[in-house]
Amino acid sequence: MSQQVPALPDLPEATVARLPEYLRALHHLAESGNDTVSSEALAGAAGVNSAKLRKDLSHLGSYGTRGVGYDVALLIDQIEYVLGLTQRRAVALVGVGNLGHALAGYAGFGSRGFRIAALFDADPGRVGEHINGLVVRHIDELPEIAEAESIAIGVIATPATAAQSVADRLVAAGVTSILNFAPCVLSVPDGVDVRKVDLAIELQILSFHEHRKASLIALPAAGGLTALPGGLAATGTEEAVGS
Amino acid sequence: MSQQVPALPDLPEATVARLPEYLRALHHLAESGNDTVSSEALAGAAGVNSAKLRKDLSHLGSYGTRGVGYDVALLIDQIEYVLGLTQRRAVALVGVGNLGHALAGYAGFGSRGFRIAALFDADPGRVGEHINGLVVRHIDELPEIAEAESIAIGVIATPATAAQSVADRLVAAGVTSILNFAPCVLSVPDGVDVRKVDLAIELQILSFHEHRKASLIALPAAGGLTALPGGLAATGTEEAVGS
């Protein structure tokens, strides 16, 4: 029984997405010598409101102690356990162009529970190259290496045209989690998780805030909201109308 | 008055984060020749539930037409307007190492409402290099170029040690939105928006799903949940316990 992995709660996706933020804040607190932290302070450090933080942590069975707060070291252990970070999962990176080089050299991975265990490319001109102590292998070697290294996660940093074929090969090699940097949608069987990093989306979110700031500055003192396209409701907040 | 920017609704942050996903799905639908789309189909294409989609779009004043759905072209216009993507905002990229090269060549930006207008680095060995038709300038030239090019958004792709100083220079040059790829927290004045892309966080979220899948496979048929660390509640769902 001691070898068994205990069942994990089926957490809301939004909670899962916030746990790494809490973890980063907790590591920072621990490094600064804090043994306990209030929900307000932890929420502030992670950039969420404290009610949401308490709710998220209650899913893990962590409620803190009234007047004391959360035990920093214990909460780190709990979150790392739930995220499965105690196992230093082996990651295979496919595609060692500029982005692949950047990812292979990304210092954040090693310290956060991951180990880049293998690099692959289809270009014979790149195979054999050394990057951060690893040799780039040909993608045809994926099945053997995935098994030998117990690869759990595949990172796709190829052009969009190659990404689906790489995903198929990763799945065939037994990889069940894929992080996709190629600007395309992948189709994978049930039971395989894909997360897509789309750098343009982050810029579009920033663009909204730029646009909003510009609209606040440009508003005439006397009001007079211009019509938005297609009957878009110009329901300015008090802040927007009053400035 | 016609030059004025109308006021924008102060949307929930989670809605803002989903609008780019809707936009991508809508562009795909438009390219496939669809004039209208039901909330269910659009929600499916964007990977959210349809109630959430309808709520998000209601913030924009878009309710669709019963039995017809949403007008694809109109909804694209509305979302692009709200996100401020009709203006092809000028982006300055600071730091042209591997990640900076990858970002400068990222095809997704140009087609999604952005224009990389300037590249900067502090390394004299990189200044003068040509990347995708742009010349890398020295960071000391930032103030003049930011003004000449009306730079709205700064992207930081430097090492963590340089990032705060770059952020200070961007803010001093009038940039009010920053996308930070350096693994560090930036401090900026009120009114400046920062979004941080942390590649390890995406891997940690995937790790949770790997861990959870492993826990389902490892569970004995007769149940018998092992204790989680620190009294973590092993409240398995029916799916977890029953498989």
Side-chain angles (χ1 to χ4, degrees):
Chain A
M1 289 286 283
S2 63
Q3 286 295 84
Q4 267 162 13
V5 184
L8 288 168
D10 191 7
L11 305 174
E13 193 63 31
T15 296
V16 173
R18 284 188 291 266
L19 290 180
E21 303 283 356
Y22 301 153
L23 188 58
R24 183 168 54 183
L26 285 163
H27 276 300
H28 190 77
L29 285 162
E31 282 157 21
S32 317
N34 296 278
D35 294 331
T36 60
V37 62
S38 69
S39 58
E40 288 75 19
L42 181 54
V48 304
N49 75 56
S50 58
K52 186 173 284 182
L53 173 122
R54 284 191 298 269
K55 176 118 193 258
D56 284 340
L57 296 183
S58 74
H59 288 301
L60 311 187
S62 282
Y63 298 93
T65 306
R66 185 178 292 270
V68 176
Y70 296 94
D71 181 305
V72 170
L74 177 61
L75 196 50
I76 286 174
D77 282 353
Q78 290 180 324
I79 295 177
E80 288 190 340
Y81 174 80
V82 167
L83 292 177
L85 300 180
T86 50
Q87 301 173 40
R88 303 247 320 142
R89 288 173 199 282
V91 174
L93 171 64
V94 185
V96 291
N98 283 317
L99 179 61
H101 268 86
L103 293 172
Y106 189 68
F109 291 148
S111 62
R112 308 275 280 285
F114 302 96
R115 179 173 62 86
I116 301 233
L119 306 176
F120 297 96
D121 207 294
D123 177 356
R126 293 196 184 277
V127 172
E129 187 184 342
H130 285 68
I131 304 175
N132 272 22
L134 286 173
V135 180
V136 178
R137 307 298 192 102
H138 193 276
I139 184 74
D140 289 346
E141 294 185 66
L142 175 62
E144 304 90 277
I145 295 172
E147 189 177 351
E149 297 280 349
S150 302
I151 300 289
I153 296 178
V155 176
I156 300 180
T158 66
T161 48
Q164 182 63 54
S165 133
V166 167
D168 295 342
R169 284 166 173 248
L170 286 167
V171 170
V175 170
T176 49
S177 288
I178 293 174
L179 185 60
N180 179 30
F181 283 89
C184 63
V185 173
L186 297 178
S187 106
V188 294
D190 285 349
V192 176
D193 286 294
V194 176
R195 286 190 69 86
K196 185 172 186 326
V197 179
D198 187 326
L199 304 171
I201 282 186
E202 294 295 330
L203 278 181
Q204 292 184 334
I205 294 169
L206 269 180
S207 177
F208 168 79
H209 293 291
E210 270 302 299
H211 192 197
R212 192 168 146 70
K213 280 181 282 197
S215 81
L216 295 178
I217 292 163
L219 263 188
L225 302 183
T226 320
L228 303 197
L232 187 58
T235 51
T237 59
E238 280 186 43
E239 182 197 357
V241 176
S243 64
Chain B
M1 289 285 282
S2 62
Q3 286 294 87
Q4 268 163 13
V5 183
L8 287 168
D10 193 6
L11 304 174
E13 193 64 31
T15 297
V16 173
R18 284 188 291 267
L19 291 179
E21 304 283 356
Y22 302 152
L23 188 58
R24 183 167 56 184
L26 286 163
H27 276 300
H28 190 76
L29 287 162
E31 282 156 21
S32 317
N34 296 278
D35 294 331
T36 59
V37 63
S38 69
S39 57
E40 288 74 18
L42 181 54
V48 304
N49 75 56
S50 58
K52 189 175 282 184
L53 173 122
R54 284 191 297 271
K55 176 117 193 258
D56 284 340
L57 297 183
S58 75
H59 287 301
L60 312 187
S62 283
Y63 297 92
T65 306
R66 184 177 294 270
V68 177
Y70 296 95
D71 181 305
V72 170
L74 177 61
L75 196 49
I76 286 175
D77 282 353
Q78 290 179 324
I79 295 177
E80 290 191 339
Y81 174 80
V82 167
L83 292 177
L85 300 179
T86 50
Q87 300 172 39
R88 303 245 321 140
R89 286 175 200 282
V91 174
L93 171 64
V94 184
V96 291
N98 283 317
L99 180 61
H101 268 87
L103 293 171
Y106 188 68
F109 290 149
S111 62
R112 308 276 280 284
F114 301 96
R115 179 173 61 85
I116 302 231
L119 306 175
F120 296 96
D121 207 293
D123 176 356
R126 292 196 184 277
V127 172
E129 188 184 343
H130 285 69
I131 304 175
N132 272 20
L134 286 174
V135 180
V136 178
R137 308 298 193 103
H138 193 276
I139 183 74
D140 288 347
E141 295 185 66
L142 176 61
E144 304 90 278
I145 295 171
E147 188 176 353
E149 297 280 350
S150 303
I151 300 290
I153 296 178
V155 176
I156 300 180
T158 66
T161 47
Q164 182 63 55
S165 132
V166 167
D168 294 344
R169 283 165 174 249
L170 286 167
V171 170
V175 170
T176 50
S177 288
I178 293 174
L179 186 59
N180 180 30
F181 284 88
C184 63
V185 174
L186 297 178
S187 107
V188 294
D190 284 349
V192 176
D193 286 295
V194 175
R195 286 190 70 84
K196 185 171 185 327
V197 179
D198 187 327
L199 304 172
I201 281 186
E202 295 295 331
L203 278 181
Q204 292 184 335
I205 293 169
L206 269 180
S207 177
F208 168 79
H209 293 290
E210 270 302 299
H211 192 197
R212 191 168 145 68
K213 280 182 282 199
S215 81
L216 296 179
I217 291 162
L219 262 188
L225 302 183
T226 319
L228 303 196
L232 189 57
T235 51
T237 61
E238 281 185 42
E239 181 198 357
V241 175
S243 63

